[in-house]
């Protein structure tokens, strides 16, 4: 089993390599959907859907909803939905970020979400994102841009200049100490120099580029580690690992002609609260579901019946127990790597699971013969959240929050267990099949 699991994780690591920004993640997901005969729909066109066909919709390049239509009416079967997010905490380059500082060219950054900032230091960083530009034929076009080589760095201070670092921790002043080093200065103005680099990477002229969004990412590739290579590490495991398992479930040959319509929603902006026109707290998923329903000519009442019969599995990563820090965890909820998928429970509904949706997910784990664990957060520390509670609230759909054990969530280098990735694929395939 470990061999099969390694093969699945090797594919995940390639998936992450191809997805250094949420826009690239959207493109990687689209490429896989096209390879599995999914047809792209545009939100601005009329949809004429057929039963047992495959479709997807993209909103602003980084959020995607893909679905296989079932052969039974949704009002009788409900929708089966898996949700995950395409973004990860990071640093983003500010619009006028290029600055000279005592012989160095630095790029100013804004913090996106809540990364562990110290983990960005002393790493081979680079940039990826998208540029909007004009060309001879169209006023505004957009393309992905990916500086593949290491380009930037946040050098740490030597211990001789920061003697208390091991006692007080590695801290960066968010405004003054996070700008990233790009080069030594020369006679060119900093903005011009950066504009030229960007234009080169995008294969455009500097005068064509009107606007851009660039995310900082780590160029180090994913890797297996451990005595049996039973762990793996990479950036953005939260939450590209969950996007990957969702796709594996959707592409499973055993559900090629499903009774229920199967839906996978991949959303940007989770790390900043999901409140945007493409985030999970927006109307993207609800409008796609309403349009699927209306394509098959049911009444408004039928659509509401479909939602009432639906189940959403919100997949995001879970905090694995790290034995060096026992006090950070509830002693009865120590989630262990490679011991199974995690059902996340929170009394204050930071996770959307309740006993019925929890039991439904356990049923699918049992069908798939995969182990599961339960996670409840330590009462001394505020609990994070996921797209689960807000999607459940917006759609009125029963939801369960699940995920795989992860160390160092929001570090630029996170770690997880090889077997758990395989287990989650199996559990979600059982959900889509059952
Ligand atoms: Zn997440």
């Amino acid at each position: 089993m470990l061999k099969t699991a390694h093969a699945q994780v090797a594919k995940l690591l390639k998936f992450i390599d191809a997805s250094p920004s949420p826009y690239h993640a959207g493109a990687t997901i689209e490429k896989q959907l096209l390879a599995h005969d999914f047809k792209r729909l545009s939100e601005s066109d009329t949809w004429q859907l057929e039963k047992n066909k495959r479709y997807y919709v993209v909103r602003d390049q980084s959020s995607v909803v893909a679905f296989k239509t079932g052969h039974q009416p949704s009002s009788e079967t409900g929708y089966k939905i898996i949700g995950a997010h395409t973004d990860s905490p990071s640093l983003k380059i500010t619009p006028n970020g290029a600055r000279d500082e005592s012989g160095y060219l630095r790029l100013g950054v804004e913090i996106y979400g809540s990364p562990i900032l110290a983990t960005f230091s002393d790493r081979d960083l680079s940039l990826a994102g998208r540029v909007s530009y004009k060309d001879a034929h169209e006023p505004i076009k957009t393309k992905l841009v990916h500086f593949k080589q290491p380009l930037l760095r946040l050098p740490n201070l030597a211990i001789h200049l920061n003697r208390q670092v091991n006692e007080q921790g590695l801290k960066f002043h968010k405004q003054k100490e996070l700008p990233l080093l790009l080069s030594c200065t020369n006679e060119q103005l900093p903005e011009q120099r950066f504009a030229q680099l960007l234009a080169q990477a995008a294969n455009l002229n500097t005068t064509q580029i009107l606007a851009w969004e660039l995310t900082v990412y780590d160029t180090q590739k994913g890797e297996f580690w451990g005595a049996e290579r039973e762990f793996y590490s990479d950036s953005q495991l939260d939450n590209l690992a969950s996007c990957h398992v969702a796709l594996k479930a959707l592409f499973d040959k055993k559900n090629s002609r499903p009774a229920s319509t199967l839906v996978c929603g991949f959303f940007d902006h989770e790390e900043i609260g999901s409140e945007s026109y493409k985030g999970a707290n927006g109307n993207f998923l609800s409008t796609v579901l309403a349009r699927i329903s209306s394509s098959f000519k049911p009444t408004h009442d039928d659509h509401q019946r479909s939602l009432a019969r639906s189940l959403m599995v919100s997949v995001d990563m879970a905090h694995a127990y790290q034995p060096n820090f026992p006090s950070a965890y509830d002693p009865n909820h120590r989630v262990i790597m490679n011991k199974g998928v995690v059902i996340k429970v929170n009394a204050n509904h930071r996770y959307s699971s309740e006993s019925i949706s929890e039991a439904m997910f356990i049923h699918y784990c049992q069908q798939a013969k995969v182990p599961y664990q339960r996670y409840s957060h330590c009462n001394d520390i505020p609990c994070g959240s996921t797209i689960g509670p807000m999607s459940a609230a917006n759609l009125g759909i029963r939801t369960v929050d699940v995920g795989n054990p992860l160390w160092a969530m929001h570090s630029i280098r996170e770690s997880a267990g090889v077997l758990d990735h395989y287990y989650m694929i199996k559990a979600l395939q059982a959900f889509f099949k059952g």
Side-chain angles (χ1 to χ4, degrees):
M1 192 201 300
L2 189 60
K3 207 171 154 204
T4 318
H6 267 126
Q8 297 285 17
V9 173
K11 285 182 190 157
L12 163 66
L13 300 183
K14 276 195 184 153
F15 180 87
I16 295 176
D17 276 350
S19 311
S21 79
Y23 304 110
H24 288 81
T28 310
I29 290 167
E30 176 165 22
K31 205 168 154 194
Q32 296 209 358
L33 290 167
L34 289 170
H36 288 84
D37 298 326
F38 281 71
K39 185 183 164 207
R40 182 167 173 149
L41 301 169
S42 164
E43 286 195 88
S44 50
D45 291 344
T46 304
W47 295 359
Q48 276 165 346
L49 307 181
E50 292 169 49
K51 288 178 180 174
N52 283 130
K53 294 275 182 208
R54 305 165 182 206
Y55 304 95
Y56 70 97
V57 197
V58 181
R59 202 179 263 196
D60 197 37
Q61 294 187 283
S62 54
S63 290
V64 181
V65 176
F67 55 96
K68 278 183 179 172
T69 50
H71 57 77
Q72 297 286 342
S74 295
S75 52
E76 301 308 317
T77 61
Y79 293 105
K80 291 188 173 188
I81 307 167
I82 300 174
H85 64 90
T86 55
D87 61 325
S88 300
S90 187
L91 304 172
K92 303 232 175 194
I93 304 302
T94 53
N96 302 322
R99 284 280 175 278
D100 271 352
E101 180 60 45
S102 310
Y104 296 108
L105 200 167
R106 299 191 305 171
L107 294 184
V109 293
E110 254 189 316
I111 300 167
Y112 177 83
S114 50
I116 305 175
L117 292 171
T119 64
F120 282 67
S121 65
D122 300 334
R123 301 202 69 95
D124 300 326
L125 304 175
S126 194
L127 294 175
R130 64 178 180 179
V131 293
S132 290
Y133 64 99
K134 53 185 174 181
D135 77 358
H137 311 289
E138 277 184 71
I140 297 175
K141 289 180 92 172
T142 296
K143 66 153 83 169
L144 297 180
V145 60
H146 185 182
F147 290 80
K148 288 187 176 150
Q149 78 286 12
L151 182 75
L152 298 161
R153 202 165 190 86
L154 179 61
N156 202 350
L157 264 185
I159 197 162
H160 317 80
L161 305 174
N162 187 14
R163 290 281 185 194
Q164 293 300 308
V165 65
N166 290 331
E167 286 68 41
Q168 294 179 355
L170 182 54
K171 295 173 191 160
F172 289 90
H173 186 282
K174 289 176 185 157
Q175 180 60 27
K176 293 184 211 157
E177 295 174 352
L178 283 184
L180 302 170
L181 281 109
L182 174 67
S183 76
C184 294
T185 49
N186 62 13
E187 63 289 342
Q188 247 183 331
L189 287 170
E191 307 82 61
Q192 280 175 359
R193 183 109 183 260
F194 181 62
Q196 209 167 51
L197 279 172
L198 181 59
Q200 257 168 18
N203 205 13
L204 295 166
N205 295 320
T206 49
T207 50
Q208 286 179 278
I209 296 179
L210 304 173
W212 44 264
E213 290 165 88
L214 294 170
T215 296
V216 174
Y217 78 95
D218 187 3
T219 56
Q220 188 183 357
K221 305 264 188 240
E223 190 52 275
F224 293 98
W225 63 278
E228 306 290 332
R229 292 163 64 78
E230 68 268 55
F231 306 118
Y232 63 99
S233 56
D234 206 343
S235 58
Q236 304 181 94
L237 295 181
D238 174 10
N239 195 24
L240 294 183
S242 303
C243 293
H244 188 251
V245 289
L247 286 171
K248 289 279 166 198
L250 189 64
F251 299 153
D252 185 15
K253 288 197 177 75
K254 295 199 185 92
N255 67 36
S256 54
R257 288 179 62 80
S260 320
T261 294
L262 311 178
V263 183
C264 282
F266 307 96
F267 301 97
D268 197 355
H269 289 165
E270 190 271 349
E271 300 292 354
I272 52 167
S274 296
E275 199 169 29
S276 71
Y277 98 104
K278 59 182 167 175
N281 206 13
N283 71 354
F284 188 26
L285 184 54
S286 59
T287 50
V288 171
L289 293 181
R291 292 183 73 174
I292 298 173
S293 284
S294 62
S295 261
F296 296 104
K297 311 267 182 288
T299 61
H300 176 72
D301 193 52
D302 287 334
H303 180 55
Q304 298 307 315
R305 288 172 59 218
S306 306
L307 299 181
R309 288 173 190 265
S310 298
L311 177 66
M312 175 157 172
V313 180
S314 158
V315 194
D316 207 335
M317 304 308 271
H319 302 296
Y321 180 65
Q322 211 284 32
N324 299 3
F325 304 101
S327 63
Y329 302 85
D330 181 284
N332 292 336
H333 297 92
R334 289 177 174 171
V335 162
I336 307 297
M337 288 283 188
N338 290 316
K339 295 283 190 238
V341 300
V342 181
I343 302 165
K344 301 189 267 185
V345 179
N346 181 260
N348 296 300
H349 263 247
R350 303 288 291 158
Y351 304 133
S352 57
S353 317
E354 27 71 25
S355 56
I356 294 177
S357 61
E358 196 186 328
M360 291 167 94
F361 189 73
I362 290 171
H363 166 72
Y364 294 120
C365 290
Q366 289 174 341
Q367 275 195 334
K369 297 189 175 54
V370 302
Y372 60 89
Q373 318 178 61
R374 287 187 175 91
Y375 180 77
S376 172
H377 204 64
C378 174
N379 277 312
D380 299 332
I381 308 169
C383 185
S385 192
T386 71
I387 62 164
M390 57 193 70
S391 311
N394 283 344
L395 296 165
I397 288 181
R398 188 185 291 288
T399 303
V400 59
D401 260 295
V402 304
N404 273 339
L406 182 79
W407 279 318
M409 190 179 283
H410 293 194
S411 164
I412 203 164
R413 194 81 181 168
E414 300 165 324
S415 290
V418 169
L419 282 177
D420 298 324
H421 193 69
Y422 170 79
Y423 291 145
M424 186 60 90
I425 292 171
K426 290 278 166 206
L428 295 177
Q429 286 178 341
F431 168 50
F432 269 177
K433 184 170 156 264

